[in-house]
Amino acid sequence: MTRASLPPALLLLGPTASGKTASALALAQRLPVEIISVDSALVYRDMDIGTAKPSAEERACCPHHLIDIVSPQENYSAAEFRADALRLMTEITGRGRIPLLVGGTMLYFKALRDGLSELPGADAAIRREIDAQASAQGWPAVHASLARLDPEAAARLNPGDAQRIQRALEIVRVTGRPLAESYARREMTPPPFNLLSIALAPSDRGVLHQRIADRFEQMILAGLIDEVARLRAHYALDTSMPSMRCVGYRQAWAYLDGEDDLDTLRFKGIAATRQLAKRQLTWQRQFRDDWPQLIELDCLRTDLANAVCAAALTLLES
């Protein structure tokens, strides 16, 4: 079966603050789509402000999936996303509609399209040991431990990137082999869909940075700190959990613990969001090289929604 003969699925990816939500809703007005969120933060219930979760009114415009599906106390993996997304894509196609996958978690897009590496599951004992080292010595020291075991993996990670350092060190310790070797053991079953990809990227990184700063300020004004306080009161959370490592949440947590003042919260939150956007754009550059059918659009153009719709129609008709 050729790629073109497979049922279509639209992919709309881009960095934070690039206009994905508005573009997806514009597509929903013109095409029979159902939206599948590709966002590792939107899966969590009660995390609305800091995740820029679509409002109830926006979600009422067309069906949305993979939003509010797990507790902030739970983990949600790329493997779970791939299984859920493929199931939903099949169901949506069966209803005579088009799956529209929208988000900025590039690992999820890659897992969907390229398959998954055969990686070990979480090892609670090793994670506790790593977290204990981090608490006593700091994450740069944990990064140094990873460098001694796997210099190549450590070189690709920022010494302060706690989540990725923990997972990389965990995999290396569990498997006894370099991270690159583990990732090379990949499940290569292609999805049974014609994946039609549109990527949003800024022509001026400075404009995107200003958007990020403005949006983070709006999140603070909308009650991000109170949201994190409610989460801490309602759930048994700690800063090692993926939900509380999300950008904005870990900075608000530090503020509530008295570690930072409001200006520092604002500075760190904006800086972390800009770093997130930088990582997302790095992924997209790789996708642009590896995915020949991908259409890239300037997310700063004033007619972005119309441009996205035109690109989607072009892909569907090709």
Side-chain angles (χ1 to χ4, degrees):
M1 184 178 291
T2 64
R3 183 183 63 84
S5 65
L6 294 170
L10 290 166
L11 276 55
L12 178 60
L13 50 149
T16 185
S18 60
K20 296 183 297 295
T21 297
S23 297
L25 293 176
L27 274 171
Q29 293 177 349
R30 305 189 193 189
L31 293 169
V33 300
E34 294 188 27
I35 294 173
I36 299 174
S37 170
V38 188
D39 191 302
S40 60
L42 294 189
V43 299
Y44 294 114
R45 291 187 288 271
D46 299 322
M47 292 174 56
D48 303 328
I49 297 171
T51 63
K53 192 171 288 179
S55 66
E57 293 77 15
E58 288 171 329
R59 280 184 267 174
C61 294
C62 80
H64 284 63
H65 305 277
L66 299 189
I67 295 177
D68 294 336
I69 60 172
V70 298
S71 159
Q73 296 172 200
E74 298 176 276
N75 294 332
Y76 186 77
S77 67
E80 290 172 301
F81 166 79
R82 190 174 198 266
D84 288 341
L86 288 173
R87 171 181 54 80
L88 287 164
M89 293 162 73
T90 300
E91 293 172 0
I92 292 167
T93 298
R95 291 191 284 269
R97 302 175 70 82
I98 302 170
L100 171 59
L101 292 94
V102 183
T105 301
M106 303 305 171
L107 176 60
Y108 285 6
F109 280 116
K110 185 170 180 61
L112 176 68
R113 184 178 179 107
D114 298 337
L116 291 163
S117 302
E118 297 176 6
L119 299 178
D123 186 301
I126 288 179
R127 287 199 172 189
R128 284 194 296 271
E129 292 174 8
I130 295 170
D131 285 337
Q133 182 186 1
S135 296
Q137 303 173 11
W139 282 105
V142 181
H143 182 266
S145 296
L146 175 62
R148 287 190 290 272
L149 294 173
D150 188 345
E152 183 180 347
R156 294 196 300 269
L157 296 175
N158 185 299
D161 194 342
Q163 184 173 359
R164 289 176 175 81
I165 292 170
Q166 182 195 58
R167 181 57 175 154
L169 185 55
E170 177 187 35
I171 292 170
V172 172
R173 289 180 57 180
V174 168
T175 64
R177 59 177 180 256
L179 198 63
E181 184 178 334
S182 293
Y183 273 103
R185 298 165 181 256
R186 184 176 298 280
E187 172 195 333
M188 292 301 292
T189 305
F193 292 89
N194 183 12
L195 301 180
L196 308 171
S197 306
I198 302 170
L200 308 182
S203 56
D204 184 337
R205 193 77 63 92
V207 176
L208 182 67
H209 285 177
Q210 187 58 53
R211 281 190 185 180
I212 287 169
D214 293 344
R215 190 168 75 163
F216 195 81
E217 182 66 30
Q218 288 302 313
M219 287 177 178
I220 292 175
L221 294 174
L224 173 61
I225 296 169
D226 289 340
E227 178 172 87
V228 177
R230 288 193 299 271
L231 289 165
R232 288 173 26 144
H234 186 71
Y235 297 99
L237 300 173
D238 62 63
T239 54
S240 71
M241 294 177 175
S243 62
M244 291 300 102
R245 289 179 178 171
C246 291
V247 171
Y249 290 87
R250 62 179 183 265
Q251 289 80 21
W253 187 292
Y255 171 84
L256 289 168
D257 278 353
E259 297 176 15
D260 294 327
D261 59 20
L262 187 58
D263 286 340
T264 304
L265 160 63
R266 184 181 290 109
F267 175 81
K268 288 185 176 179
I270 292 170
T273 310
R274 289 175 176 173
Q275 284 297 312
L276 170 62
K278 181 180 179 180
R279 291 194 299 272
Q280 290 168 319
L281 289 167
T282 299
W283 277 93
Q284 283 189 197
R285 283 196 296 274
Q286 180 182 342
F287 292 165
R288 186 175 58 208
D289 296 335
D290 297 342
W291 300 2
Q293 301 300 318
L294 180 145
I295 294 177
E296 188 170 88
L297 298 173
D298 178 10
C299 68
L300 304 181
R301 57 189 296 170
T302 57
D303 63 340
L304 178 60
N306 287 334
V308 168
C309 291
L313 290 171
T314 297
L315 288 168
L316 289 167
E317 293 167 358
S318 62

